[in-house]
């Protein structure tokens, strides 16, 4: 709601992703707002069936306002294309919408104040599949599980299929993780075309065609 962003007279949630992104641009709820250049709310298709959630903006993202704008983003693009998915068809965001100084890990207090924005994004985009990139976004959904033991395994969270994968940046530092990322990304196609978790006969894969990720 415009009135929410401008006057703060009301606590009504925004009606659209664009309104929410305007609210995020004005956020001063934590100290990261003092050191950021740009907020990095999210990017991509506002009604995609597929949402990707990373960790936090780095320096390239802070300069551009776009998530996954650096080397990890190039690898992410490669992984998506390898799975038959265009980045423009997906909604991509992060746990934090502002860059932590020196790219340090997000703090629990920052995650906690920023989480409301992520919850609103999930509710507005309404994806059927969420791919969590790295341990911080996986922990939002399954805080008691370890990513190394859970990657590639799909779990239900409030009716949404959650697919945890390693963070692309981890594969830049440790190339032995890249084949695991490629393997896990290959599952997205099947998930998007599976009508229910229990009826495997309903799987409709379209391996050699462009996916349609929108309703
Ligand atoms: N860029 C992002 O936007 N998020 C990450 O988690 C890493 C790089």
């Amino acid at each position: 709601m415009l009135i929410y962003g401008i006057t703060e007279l009301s606590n009504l949630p925004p009606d659209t992703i664009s309104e929410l992104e305007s609210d995020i641009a004005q956020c001063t709820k934590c100290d990261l707002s003092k050191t950021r250049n740009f907020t990095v709310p999210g990017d991509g298709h506002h009604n995609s069936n597929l949402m990707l959630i990373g960790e936090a903006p780095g320096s390239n993202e802070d300069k551009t306002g776009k998530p996954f704008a650096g080397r990890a983003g190039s690898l992410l693009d490669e992984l998506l294309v390898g799975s038959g998915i265009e980045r423009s068809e997906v909604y991509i965001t992060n746990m934090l919408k502002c860059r932590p100084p020196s790219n340090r890990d997000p703090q629990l207090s920052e995650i906690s104040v920023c989480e409301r924005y992520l919850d609103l994004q999930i509710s507005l985009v309404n994806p059927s599949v969420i791919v969590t990139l790295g341990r911080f976004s996986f922990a939002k959904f399954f805080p008691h599980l370890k990513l190394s033991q859970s990657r590639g395994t799909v779990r239900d969270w409030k009716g949404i299929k959650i697919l945890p994968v390693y963070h692309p940046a981890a594969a830049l530092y440790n190339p032995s993780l890249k084949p695991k990322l490629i393997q896990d990304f290959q599952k997205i196609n099947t998930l998007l075309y599976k009508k229910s978790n229990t009826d495997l006969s309903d799987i409709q894969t379209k391996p050699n065609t462009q996916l349609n990720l929108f309703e």
Side-chain angles (χ1 to χ4, degrees):
M1 303 276 296
L2 210 50
I3 194 169
Y4 168 74
I6 291 176
T7 66
E8 297 200 337
L9 286 176
S10 148
N11 257 343
L12 286 175
D15 294 328
T16 64
I17 284 286
S18 302
E19 284 179 13
L20 176 59
E21 291 179 354
S22 306
D23 285 356
I24 292 171
Q26 299 168 42
C27 182
T28 53
K29 287 185 203 288
C30 81
D31 281 350
L32 297 184
S33 62
K34 296 179 184 157
T35 49
R36 74 178 177 227
N37 284 304
F38 282 99
T39 54
V40 185
D43 193 34
H45 201 286
H46 295 184
N47 295 112
S48 182
N49 270 327
L50 176 60
M51 181 182 271
L52 306 187
I53 308 176
E55 183 177 314
S59 101
N60 289 299
E61 292 78 17
D62 179 62
K63 283 183 201 138
T64 59
K66 298 285 178 203
F68 285 91
R71 285 177 63 223
S74 301
L75 177 53
L76 179 62
D77 288 344
E78 197 188 305
L79 291 161
L80 286 170
V81 168
S83 313
I85 298 166
E86 296 278 335
R87 185 199 267 239
S88 59
E89 295 180 309
V90 176
Y91 191 76
I92 306 181
T93 187
N94 283 301
M95 294 298 293
L96 299 188
K97 313 308 185 201
C98 296
R99 182 193 184 199
S102 314
N103 297 342
R104 63 157 170 73
D105 282 351
Q107 293 174 351
L108 282 181
S109 59
E110 293 160 353
I111 290 176
S112 146
V113 288
C114 220
E115 202 161 19
R116 178 175 173 272
Y117 294 131
L118 181 58
D119 288 335
L120 286 166
Q121 286 172 314
I122 294 170
S123 128
L124 289 166
V125 175
N126 193 21
S128 57
V129 177
I130 290 178
V131 176
T132 58
L133 305 166
R135 66 192 165 99
F136 285 95
S137 49
F138 182 48
K140 169 181 172 54
F141 302 100
F142 298 102
H144 304 299
L145 297 180
K146 286 191 82 162
L147 179 58
S148 56
Q149 289 161 8
S150 308
R151 57 147 274 263
T153 301
V154 181
R155 286 188 167 79
D156 178 84
W157 181 83
K158 300 185 182 177
I160 302 174
K161 295 178 201 109
I162 307 289
L163 173 67
V165 305
Y166 285 129
H167 196 291
L172 296 176
Y173 292 106
N174 179 358
S176 71
L177 298 181
K178 191 170 170 184
K180 296 178 176 146
L181 262 174
I182 293 171
Q183 186 187 29
D184 293 345
F185 266 74
Q186 294 297 327
K187 298 187 179 173
I188 298 174
N189 184 327
T190 303
L191 283 178
L192 287 166
Y193 282 92
K194 193 162 118 181
K195 286 185 185 155
S196 90
N197 280 332
T198 48
D199 189 354
L200 294 175
S201 64
D202 257 339
I203 294 177
Q204 305 167 13
T205 49
K206 297 187 177 178
N208 296 318
T209 56
Q210 186 62 50
L211 300 178
N212 178 8
L213 302 185
F214 319 125
E215 265 51 93

